[in-house]
Structure formats: structure tokens, C-alpha cells
Amino acid sequence: MQERGAVVVAAVSSIYRTAPWGYLDQEDFANACALATTTLQPGELLAEVKAVETELGRKDGVRWGPRLIDIDVLFYGDQVFDSPELVLPHKDLFNRAFVLVPLAEIAPKLRLGGRSVGEAAKAAAELGVKPLGCGLSAAGSHIGDFDAFTEPGR
């Protein structure tokens, strides 16, 4: 997305191995988070994310099922955004260890909606989120989720 001029990436987490969520009959996922800035509005950013997913080979399938790539926009600075296509901050962000742990690695002091990402990640850390090097090669997993967290402006 940075190469396309859509964002400027400030930080990228390590890659984490996580058990499937939602649809469980699939391989583990590889998850990471990035922190970036953008001049795009939330809806424009979502359209850009969907275009990148398509270019990378994502196909429609079972909800939460196997997929080559899944890029989520989970917050946009401290702004609240609510449309049928996109809710920011993401309504399930604090319920997903596979988001909290990598996000806390790159933004441990981040607070969203008055809640601490770092504290929530500590509480969720024992839920099976492990650095990718723990017994899984990238070839043995889905590319999985890449959660993008943005701040307005550049």
C-alpha cells in the first residue's frame, strides 16, 4: 500500500502464529500489524485495502475461512467512523488476541476508546499467539491477516 502511495508505514510488528478464529477447520494463520498514516478518508482507505487484497489473489469464500490475505483497517486516529462497510475503531479489536499482541508490540501505549492496547494484550497473550518462529514456517501457514492501523494525515 505504501508503494501505491496510499499510506506511509511507520512501524510493522513481528509475524505471529495464531490458531484459526471463527471457522476452525483450517491451518493456523500468520498475523502482523502495521501502523501507518494516510491522507485518504476511511472509506477511500477501505477501497484501497480491498484493491490490494484482490491484486494479491484474495477470493471470496467462507466467512473467516481460509484466505490468502486479509487486511483490516482497525482504527483511524481517534476518530469514530460508522458505515455499513466499515466501523472504526473495529468493534472486535479488544476481543482478538491475534490483533492485540502484534499491535502492542509496535504501539504499547496506544489507547483506543479509553482502553489500553498494551494492557489488553498482556491479558490476551496466553491465548495462543506466538511468534512465527515457534514451530511453524511461513510456507506451512496461510499468509493470513495483516491489520492496518492508521492515523489521518501524512
Side-chain angles (χ1 to χ4, degrees):
M1 290 189 59
Q2 182 165 289
E3 290 177 9
R4 297 166 61 104
V7 301
V8 175
V9 176
V12 178
S13 75
S14 301
I15 299 172
Y16 291 83
R17 174 187 180 177
T18 58
W21 188 92
Y23 179 81
L24 302 179
D25 188 21
Q26 59 184 316
E27 299 292 326
D28 283 356
F29 283 91
N31 293 84
C33 291
L35 187 60
T37 57
T38 186
T39 58
L40 299 176
Q41 293 301 308
E44 297 169 326
L45 182 60
L46 179 63
E48 187 68 22
V49 162
K50 296 299 180 191
V52 168
E53 287 178 334
T54 299
E55 286 176 17
L56 291 173
R58 177 155 181 179
K59 307 281 187 232
D60 289 336
V62 177
R63 182 176 176 131
W64 298 313
R67 55 206 178 266
L68 181 64
I69 187 76
D70 181 29
I71 305 171
D72 294 318
V73 180
L74 297 179
F75 73 85
Y76 191 86
D78 59 1
Q79 294 184 32
V80 173
F81 186 82
D82 192 351
S83 77
E85 298 82 30
L86 181 64
V87 175
L88 299 173
H90 192 288
K91 64 184 172 109
D92 291 322
L93 186 149
F94 282 95
N95 298 324
R96 296 181 175 170
F98 64 85
V99 171
L100 291 167
V101 172
L103 179 57
E105 176 189 329
I106 58 175
K109 296 181 181 179
L110 179 66
R111 296 186 72 79
L112 295 169
R115 296 179 70 184
S116 166
V117 167
E119 290 173 16
K122 285 178 189 171
E126 65 260 7
L127 297 177
V129 179
K130 298 180 172 93
L132 187 60
C134 292
L136 179 72
S137 70
S141 68
H142 298 287
I143 291 175
D145 296 321
F146 189 83
D147 299 308
F149 305 92
T150 60
E151 295 285 339
R154 266 198 218 194

